[in-house]
Amino acid sequence: MPSNEKAGHATMCMNGAEEAVNVLRAALKRSGITLPSLRVEPASYARDTPCPLVELGRCSVDTVRLIAAALPREGGRTP
């Protein structure tokens, strides 16, 4: 892949990762959940060919319970 194609692909990957983080952050916020450490892993920006990872971060037990309550239950039913 030529250099300019690599750069375009890298930008597209990182933009997609940032968009995914923003979508997740908004969805969590609608459920009253905040993950302060939610972000694209900084090391993802340093790679020549990024394969972005997302850091969900650490959270309190109360936040874990909120996330679990917001997810569908067994059998696909929502809470």
Side-chain angles (χ1 to χ4, degrees), residues 38-75:
L38 178 61
R39 64 183 180 169
V40 175
E41 180 188 39
S44 297
Y45 294 99
R47 297 183 61 187
D48 288 337
T49 307
C51 180
L53 296 175
V54 174
E55 289 186 9
L56 297 176
R58 298 174 359 172
C59 60
S60 70
V61 173
D62 288 340
T63 300
V64 171
R65 289 186 178 122
L66 285 171
I67 293 168
L71 295 173
R73 298 192 178 164
E74 199 172 321

Side-chain angles (χ1 to χ4, degrees), residues 18-41:
E18 289 287 352
E19 181 181 346
V21 166
N22 290 334
V23 167
L24 178 58
R25 183 177 287 118
L28 289 169
K29 185 176 182 176
R30 287 192 298 274
S31 295
I33 300 167
T34 301
L35 294 177
S37 303
L38 178 61
R39 64 183 180 169
V40 175
E41 180 188 39

